[in-house]
Amino acid sequence: MSNKPPSTLRRLLLGGAFAALASLVLPGPAAYAEPTKNLRIGYQKFNSVNILKGSGALEKALAPQGIKVSWYEFAAGPQLLEALSTGAIDLGHAADAPSVFAQASGKSVVYLAAEQPYPRGIGIVVREQDKVADIAALKGQRVATGRGWNAQYLLAVALQDTGLSYKDIDPAYVNNAADAVAALQSGSVKAVTLWDPFLAAAEKQPGLKTLRDGTGLTNNRTFYLSSPAFADENRGVLKTFFTELGKVSNWANAKPKEVAALLAPQLGIGADVLEVASERRNYNAVAITPEITAEQQKLADTFQGLGLIPKPLKVADAVYPVSVLP
């Protein structure tokens, strides 16, 4: 078997490497003495923010206020949140685990809103030829994952659910989904943790299968985040952002085929892959409720218990106290 991922998956995964270069050309920190005139948004492949970018609706909504919009693509949540914390971007989205790790590392970021649960959008993937029957069969095996990934959290709770612990596997840490899948294809690991659209792409490849997704284990929410200073000075801009985001999210929920058609040429990803991922997702943003905060707290406590977060943290401290939803 070739060590290279099949062509469709390979194009998708390698795109993340080029996206990561965006961080090298981002503008420097901005001062927020007054409302911004250039809203800098970080996004990842296949998300409601990505769809909003493709629609052009936000630019039209903010133009009368003299506000421009700049977009920066990132390979994953940790890189996006690093840029947000340094002031290189103003607003972005990331999954639950990267958001907790950002708070744990002392980054100045706040939760603004969350998406609906998306448990089928993360998974633990294996090769059929390895005959891995269940999560328990991963005991003592190497598993490729990333530090602070939402799919790393899935791995931790899936092991707990079957009576094992994270210490019962040999984690092989990688920086991106491309490296994870390459390791699986080469046979150097028995499983990898992935998220959509990389998960959907892997599921379409012969010889690969999802051993377990997040159903019943984790809600796998996407969060919208900013810095406290930017949010304080730009609540009106943020309300406009979430208004336009809500419109495209409603459209995306109802039209997965159209979502795929919109994003496929933009991302260089097959429409069949994007349609699968879109059909199992609810894009709508909601306020951060005590229940959602409790979900995040459980995640933080789990990682802290594994020694991956050095000390306890209080997720509620990072929730922005003023609603910016329309």
Side-chain angles (χ1 to χ4, degrees):
M1 179 178 290
S2 170
N3 289 347
K4 293 183 179 180
S7 57
T8 299
L9 181 57
R10 182 175 174 80
R11 288 196 303 270
L12 170 57
L13 295 173
L14 291 180
F18 294 107
L21 295 176
S23 63
L24 300 178
V25 295
L26 287 172
Y32 302 120
E34 58 184 28
T36 187
K37 291 299 180 183
N38 181 21
L39 177 60
R40 302 166 301 166
I41 301 174
Y43 71 100
Q44 301 170 56
K45 289 182 185 295
F46 187 66
N47 181 273
S48 51
V49 179
N50 198 169
I51 299 169
L52 180 59
K53 174 182 181 292
S55 75
L58 185 60
E59 286 84 348
K60 293 178 182 178
L62 290 176
Q65 303 176 45
I67 299 173
K68 297 181 179 180
V69 182
S70 301
W71 304 88
Y72 301 94
E73 183 182 323
F74 293 85
Q79 296 95 316
L80 186 154
L81 292 174
E82 178 65 27
L84 180 60
S85 70
T86 61
I89 59 174
D90 306 312
L91 174 66
H93 64 89
D96 43 18
S99 302
V100 160
F101 272 80
Q103 183 184 2
S105 64
K107 291 179 171 55
S108 183
V109 298
V110 288
Y111 295 96
L112 301 175
E115 271 191 11
Q116 301 281 3
Y118 188 21
R120 294 174 60 204
I122 49 175
I124 300 169
V125 178
V126 297
R127 299 192 303 180
E128 291 179 349
Q129 72 185 67
D130 291 329
K131 301 188 184 304
V132 179
D134 51 31
I135 296 296
L138 296 178
K139 183 176 182 179
Q141 302 294 332
R142 297 186 77 225
V143 180
T145 190
R147 297 181 187 274
W149 287 3
N150 54 343
Q152 184 192 23
Y153 178 64
L154 170 62
L155 176 61
V157 294
L159 289 166
Q160 291 175 352
D161 187 61
T162 198
L164 300 176
S165 78
Y166 196 78
K167 295 179 181 179
D168 287 317
I169 56 104
D170 179 15
Y173 290 113
V174 295
N175 293 321
N176 54 61
D179 291 344
V181 172
L184 181 63
Q185 296 281 18
S186 72
S188 64
V189 299
K190 287 296 183 186
V192 298
T193 69
L194 295 172
W195 66 97
D196 273 343
F198 306 106
L199 175 63
E203 289 172 342
K204 283 188 170 289
Q205 302 306 320
L208 299 183
K209 69 174 184 178
T210 295
L211 187 65
R212 182 75 190 265
D213 65 20
T215 302
L217 295 175
T218 170
N219 277 333
N220 181 37
R221 293 183 189 271
T222 289
F223 289 89
Y224 300 93
L225 305 103
S226 185
S227 69
F230 183 85
D232 287 344
E233 297 294 335
N234 295 277
R235 291 174 188 166
V237 173
L238 291 174
K239 282 184 179 290
T240 299
F241 167 81
F242 281 110
T243 296
E244 298 305 319
L245 187 73
K247 294 175 184 177
V248 300
S249 295
N250 288 334
W251 171 79
N253 287 336
K255 305 288 185 179
K257 285 184 179 292
E258 284 81 352
V259 170
L262 173 70
L263 294 184
Q266 181 188 151
L267 300 179
I269 300 170
D272 57 338
V273 170
L274 293 177
E275 185 176 348
V276 168
S278 190
E279 285 176 342
R280 59 193 182 196
R281 184 170 198 162
N282 184 328
Y283 293 94
N284 289 119
V286 296
I288 306 291
T289 64
E291 291 76 19
I292 293 174
T293 302
E295 288 178 14
Q296 282 294 87
Q297 189 64 55
K298 179 183 177 183
L299 187 152
D301 294 343
T302 297
F303 277 127
Q304 194 268 325
L306 294 172
L308 300 176
I309 288 178
K311 59 183 180 181
L313 61 83
K314 187 177 180 182
V315 169
D317 291 343
V319 176
Y320 193 62
V322 180
S323 175
V324 291
L325 296 178

